[in-house]
Amino acid sequence: MRALHLLLCMLVGCGATTVQRSRGRDWAHHGASMFADLSVRELKAVRGYLHKLPELGLTDARSKPLNKNSILLIELHLPRKHEALRALDRGQARPPREARVVVQFGNQAMPNITEYIVGPLPFPESHKVKTFKKDKSIPFESRPMTSSEYEHMKHTLEKISTQARTLLFETSGGFSFTNCSSRCLTFTDVSPRGLNAGERRSWIMLQKNVEGYFMHPIGFEVLVNHKDLDPERWFVEKVWYNNQYFDSMEELVRKYENEELQKVRLPEHDEEDLFSTYIPRGQSNSASDIHGPKFVQPQGPRYHIDGNFIEYAGWSFAYRVRSSAGLQIFDLRFNGERIAYEIGLQEAIAFYAGDTPTAMQTKFIDSGWAMGASTFELAPGIDCPEIATFVDLYHYYDTDKPVHFKNALCIFELNTGIPLRRHFNTNNRGGYNFYGGLENTVLVVRATSTVYNYDYIWDFMFYQNGVMESKVSATGYIHATFLTPNGLNYGTKVYHHVLGNLHTHLIHYKVDLDISGRENSFESIDLKYVNFTNPWSPKDTIVQSKLHRTQHHTERSAAFRFGKKTPRYFHFYNPNEKNKWGHQKGYRIQFNSHAHSVLPRGVNEEKGVTWSRYPLAVTRHKDSEASSTSLYNQNEPWDPVVSFEDYIRDNENLENQDLVAWVTVGFLHVPHSEDVPNTATPGNSVGFFLRPFNFFDEDPSLASKSTVIVRQDKAGNPVIQRWTPNVVGHCVSDHPFSYNGTYAEV
């Protein structure tokens, strides 16, 4: 059908713009599969290929030994940008698909982590080592925790708890770590795993294993050194019990039995544990036992999905969910014109403070906790509307077979309940000249990451007027520790013996903008006051605001620090393309955030998250600077494999270049009693907007047929003009749209 349309256009003439737009759409669709996540077939092919290589000596990832060679991660390796653009902009052949593979080499004299690029897919026949900037090697101690290591950690804790069985039983109100049936203890470990490079020792706290166990610390924490690949050589370095430190389990048990320390006694009643559950309680004055409003699509969905390619209201883009980090958008276009090549989640961190050693040590860098692969099933009607299109995802992380995550991504059109725009034009005589309005519907692409206690809801939202919003909403359980006398300096008491610890969430995004092409520039816009003689009353002066533009020529000048005054507009534009009114075509980034830095510059773990110094930093695109972080930075933040600061250190020119904006958003969370049982999403959503700034000649949502205009005829009767069916549909209303608009005194 599309070929026939193009043929007719050639014969009768449709205009160059129409043909070009149609061809661009076909090329975008053609290229979208370059960004699709690896299929089950491809994942299995990569594993099979590598396991057949005798020089690698690979064994199953889930096998018990730690001193083994095994695959940790398999995911798509993106093509180089210039190769991808040949397919997207010229319709040329797509580059061969390749996989990125992380291999843990533990069965050798000097254990290390090596990354490989494997291809071509789906029939791999070659591999090469993937290198990092400055040819930096990956220390073995920086590897994420695996299920095998956790099994050994559990066994170690069983031995520890056996030494202190009476102490733990009496402290917790009848819970134990072993032989416990329904009254068991569990544990939480935190990162980074040490205080200096090359270490692997973790603080672990014990909790009651009930629903919401994150909220049930018992006042016992232990520091385990687990650097050795032989778990029998792991040992306890320090113990913390009820605000007291001990050098060994033997010392703690001896002093406990001799009544030489202050003991903890938690309640034995099971009802005490209900506070962390979702079970309804309390009173509500609304009829909450019946269903609330629901979404409908009266004439079916208005978006189109083909594989990982999506079209909606002028938008088109491809998507993927990267196992190592999460949701990404590629080749973002509006009416066929590219706005961005890539917009993707890079990292999420939560840096805590507290009075217990576990709280002091908690500096979560979530890509090191399989953030991208923690995409669990979404619940219809709660996580996404029932009308949503649900998509299954497959991840290969710490496994020997691809793992199927059912309904882990959803796509839906959302009516925001507020007009995109409207105006009531009164005639000041009890009537009106006209009323005009357009409902605000957006397309939402959503995934979640449940990273241990926290749930992140990731949204990309596409508006009819060319605006794109990236939003993250935080929910889930707070990270709680045992309440100490000094604890209220670091948080809030949320239950008996429970402290909700203060923490800062920061989220980092990569925004590779291509505004009408790759040659872009960047300026910031602010206001300055001007004072001048009033031209129509010379004895007076005029004081008003004037636009103040600052061109940012280099990367350092375009790196804006937290704590410094930042401009109100960040404007990316194409100096070679103008709209109808002579303005350079551009987009701007608008923040919805109240983030701040997490640590002073260069202090301890801050070295592993140097991107957190900047709400916005702009660099020149390089394929070698694909991500601002790595999954190794969590456990080796002091000398990280990837340091974002290196990207701006060379201070390259930004004028008329292929630019990448690196965006940091976030918020401070001081937990409060209303965080029980869970943190709620209202007030805990942050993100940014991409807003057109003279990119179009007028608001592109004028193309929407959902506009309603009402005027009065000479008799004062409303005359309704609309371009969609008069009756929406019986699921919404059986009555046609009506509007009066008059007003009068009563």
Side-chain angles (χ1 to χ4, degrees):
M1 182 64 69
R2 185 165 296 276
L4 177 61
H5 173 72
L6 286 173
L7 178 61
L8 289 173
C9 282
M10 293 172 63
L11 293 174
V12 303
C14 291
T17 301
T18 302
V19 175
Q20 185 176 7
R21 184 175 298 170
S22 178
R23 184 173 58 189
R25 184 269 174 197
D26 289 342
W27 289 347
H29 180 263
H30 159 75
S33 62
M34 293 185 294
F35 309 112
D37 288 309
L38 298 182
S39 66
V40 171
R41 178 190 180 193
E42 290 172 321
L43 291 168
K44 289 183 175 180
V46 171
R47 182 188 187 276
Y49 167 78
L50 291 176
H51 269 256
K52 290 179 181 178
L53 299 176
E55 63 269 26
L56 298 185
L58 296 179
T59 60
D60 288 348
R62 290 299 182 101
S63 61
K64 192 172 182 179
L66 298 180
N67 57 342
K68 65 190 175 191
N69 300 344
S70 62
I71 296 173
L72 175 68
L73 168 71
I74 304 175
E75 66 178 7
L76 175 71
H77 175 66
L78 289 173
R80 292 180 178 272
K81 183 175 180 179
H82 72 276
E83 295 174 346
L85 289 179
R86 283 201 288 263
L88 294 170
D89 292 345
R90 305 177 196 171
Q92 295 183 4
R94 298 181 295 264
R97 282 170 65 80
E98 296 178 316
R100 172 202 179 198
V101 185
V102 177
V103 178
Q104 303 179 124
F105 287 102
N107 187 21
Q108 55 189 42
M110 296 292 290
N112 72 83
I113 305 291
T114 302
E115 294 198 6
Y116 294 99
I117 307 302
V118 179
L121 302 181
F123 305 109
E125 56 187 27
S126 65
H127 63 283
K128 60 184 178 182
V129 174
K130 180 181 182 297
T131 57
F132 292 85
K133 288 178 76 74
K134 302 179 181 179
D135 293 324
K136 195 168 183 63
S137 60
I138 307 171
F140 198 63
E141 291 78 18
S142 70
R143 70 193 186 279
M145 289 284 285
T146 61
S147 57
S148 297
E149 192 167 5
Y150 272 121
E151 282 299 313
H152 291 296
M153 184 65 75
K154 181 180 178 183
H155 180 65
T156 299
L157 291 173
E158 288 173 352
K159 293 191 291 185
I160 292 171
S161 65
T162 299
Q163 292 179 267
R165 182 173 179 82
T166 300
L167 179 154
L168 295 175
F169 189 86
E170 294 177 351
T171 295
S172 63
F175 287 70
S176 57
F177 201 81
T178 57
N179 302 319
C180 52
S181 62
S182 62
R183 296 175 69 82
C184 296
L185 295 173
T186 187
F187 70 95
T188 287
D189 61 313
V190 301
S191 286
R193 304 185 188 280
L195 298 172
N196 296 285
E199 297 181 353
R200 197 167 181 85
R201 49 193 184 130
S202 300
W203 273 104
I204 299 167
M205 67 173 163
L206 297 191
Q207 303 144 313
K208 294 181 181 181
N209 193 8
V210 297
E211 283 191 17
Y213 59 85
F214 314 101
M215 307 281 286
H216 293 268
I218 66 169
F220 177 91
E221 302 179 4
V222 59
L223 178 61
V224 176
N225 189 312
H226 53 113
K227 181 175 180 177
D228 202 293
L229 295 182
D230 180 0
E232 295 301 318
R233 296 180 179 176
W234 293 2
F235 59 93
V236 172
E237 289 192 8
K238 193 74 72 173
V239 186
W240 183 92
Y241 175 76
N242 194 23
N243 209 30
Q244 303 153 87
Y245 286 92
F246 306 90
D247 292 326
S248 66
M249 286 299 301
E250 291 77 12
E251 180 191 1
L252 169 60
V253 172
R254 184 181 70 253
K255 291 186 175 181
Y256 184 89
E257 292 175 347
N258 294 337
E259 304 289 338
E260 298 177 17
L261 49 72
Q262 185 176 355
K263 297 182 178 181
V264 176
R265 290 287 187 271
L266 297 182
E268 297 186 19
H269 306 295
D270 289 340
E271 56 266 25
E272 289 289 331
D273 299 331
L274 293 177
F275 79 94
S276 60
T277 73
Y278 270 65
I279 299 173
R281 49 195 182 268
Q283 294 182 339
S284 173
N285 60 3
S286 64
S288 59
D289 56 343
I290 61 175
H291 288 292
K294 296 292 182 180
F295 289 93
V296 297
Q297 295 176 143
Q299 283 84 40
R302 302 195 298 178
Y303 55 88
H304 175 72
I305 305 174
D306 187 358
N308 71 318
F309 182 67
I310 300 177
E311 295 174 288
Y312 169 77
W315 293 101
S316 71
F317 56 90
Y319 74 87
R320 72 179 284 218
V321 180
R322 183 165 51 135
S323 297
S324 55
L327 191 58
Q328 292 177 292
I329 297 295
F330 292 92
D331 191 29
L332 178 65
R333 307 187 190 204
F334 196 95
N335 288 338
E337 195 167 7
R338 183 175 299 114
I339 295 165
Y341 175 76
E342 175 187 352
I343 304 173
L345 176 64
Q346 300 293 297
E347 189 61 274
I349 66 173
F351 276 35
Y352 286 77
D355 194 43
T356 78
T358 294
M360 297 175 194
Q361 189 65 11
T362 304
K363 310 287 189 300
F364 286 140
I365 304 175
D366 286 336
S367 65
W369 292 79
M371 176 174 69
S374 301
T375 53
F376 301 100
E377 184 173 359
L378 301 170
I382 302 172
D383 296 323
C384 312
E386 289 93 340
I387 62 168
T389 300
F390 289 86
V391 180
D392 295 354
L393 299 176
Y394 297 87
H395 296 295
Y396 195 108
Y397 182 92
D398 188 25
T399 182
D400 292 303
K401 294 181 179 179
V403 180
H404 177 202
F405 292 83
K406 183 181 178 182
N407 295 344
L409 179 137
C410 69
I411 302 156
F412 58 93
E413 189 177 8
L414 170 71
N415 188 315
T416 64
I418 189 171
L420 181 67
R421 60 173 182 271
R422 59 95 67 190
H423 179 65
F424 180 87
N425 190 245
T426 179
N427 63 8
N428 296 312
R429 299 188 302 274
Y432 55 96
N433 297 314
F434 77 93
Y435 164 83
L438 173 62
E439 64 185 9
N440 188 15
T441 58
V442 300
L443 185 75
V444 181
V445 179
R446 173 174 295 170
T448 63
S449 296
T450 301
V451 191
Y452 196 61
N453 60 304
Y454 253 103
D455 294 66
Y456 294 106
I457 302 171
W458 312 106
D459 287 341
F460 285 125
M461 305 171 67
F462 304 88
Y463 293 78
Q464 301 171 79
N465 62 339
V467 172
M468 195 216 80
E469 180 182 2
S470 178
K471 183 171 72 172
V472 54
S473 303
T475 179
Y477 284 94
I478 58 175
H479 180 56
T481 57
F482 197 75
L483 181 63
T484 65
N486 196 38
L488 292 179
N489 290 314
Y490 304 103
T492 304
K493 179 180 179 180
V494 294
Y495 206 70
H496 307 303
H497 305 294
V498 181
L499 180 79
N501 295 78
L502 71 86
H503 54 284
T504 296
H505 290 279
L506 292 183
I507 315 296
H508 202 226
Y509 292 91
K510 177 182 181 180
V511 185
D512 182 354
L513 292 164
D514 283 1
I515 309 297
S516 295
R518 298 182 70 177
E519 296 178 343
N520 291 176
S521 294
F522 170 60
E523 67 174 357
S524 59
I525 305 174
D526 219 325
L527 300 178
K528 61 185 300 186
Y529 292 120
V530 291
N531 186 331
F532 56 90
T533 300
N534 188 326
W536 48 270
S537 181
K539 68 178 185 299
D540 298 308
T541 59
I542 297 291
V543 178
Q544 63 183 16
S545 297
K546 178 181 179 181
L547 289 175
H548 178 68
R549 300 175 183 265
T550 302
Q551 191 72 35
H552 296 277
H553 304 286
T554 62
E555 291 175 328
R556 276 294 179 196
S557 73
F560 300 88
R561 296 287 301 273
F562 278 117
K564 304 285 187 180
K565 184 178 183 297
T566 56
R568 281 172 274 192
Y569 274 43
F570 297 110
H571 180 214
F572 296 81
Y573 63 93
N574 189 320
N576 310 303
E577 297 287 337
K578 295 182 178 180
N579 72 359
K580 181 178 180 179
W581 314 113
H583 299 294
Q584 292 161 328
K585 300 180 72 169
Y587 259 74
R588 68 184 183 95
I589 292 178
Q590 177 178 314
F591 284 80
N592 172 28
S593 170
H594 47 95
H596 206 278
S597 57
V598 290
L599 285 173
R601 182 185 178 100
V603 171
N604 301 333
E605 297 85 0
E606 193 272 348
K607 299 173 186 176
V609 291
T610 52
W611 53 264
S612 69
R613 300 169 181 174
Y614 311 101
L616 176 70
V618 183
T619 66
R620 280 172 61 169
H621 174 272
K622 294 180 182 177
D623 288 310
S624 61
E625 296 176 351
S627 179
S628 60
T629 186
S630 81
L631 54 84
Y632 317 108
N633 285 28
Q634 170 66 96
N635 292 327
E636 190 70 272
W638 310 280
D639 186 19
V641 172
V642 175
S643 175
F644 177 75
E645 194 68 25
D646 291 340
Y647 294 5
I648 58 177
R649 186 165 283 127
D650 50 9
N651 200 27
E652 291 185 294
N653 174 51
L654 297 180
E655 293 183 277
N656 227 17
Q657 301 292 336
D658 189 355
L659 302 184
V660 179
W662 304 87
V663 176
T664 304
V665 298
F667 61 96
L668 168 67
H669 185 186
V670 180
H672 43 89
S673 55
E674 293 81 7
D675 283 315
V676 176
N678 264 185
T679 296
T681 53
N684 290 316
S685 297
V686 295
F688 64 92
F689 292 87
L690 281 180
R691 298 184 59 183
F693 195 72
N694 298 313
F695 186 83
F696 303 101
D697 297 335
E698 60 183 356
D699 186 338
S701 68
L702 284 167
S704 173
K705 299 299 189 292
S706 296
T707 296
V708 174
I709 302 173
V710 185
R711 300 182 178 90
Q712 286 184 303
D713 62 17
K714 293 181 179 179
N717 300 310
V719 179
I720 300 169
Q721 190 176 13
R722 65 180 309 166
W723 291 263
T724 52
N726 286 331
V727 177
V728 177
H730 70 275
C731 289
V732 178
S733 172
D734 288 323
H735 303 290
F737 175 86
S738 62
Y739 189 86
N740 186 285
T742 60
Y743 53 97
E745 294 179 350
V746 293

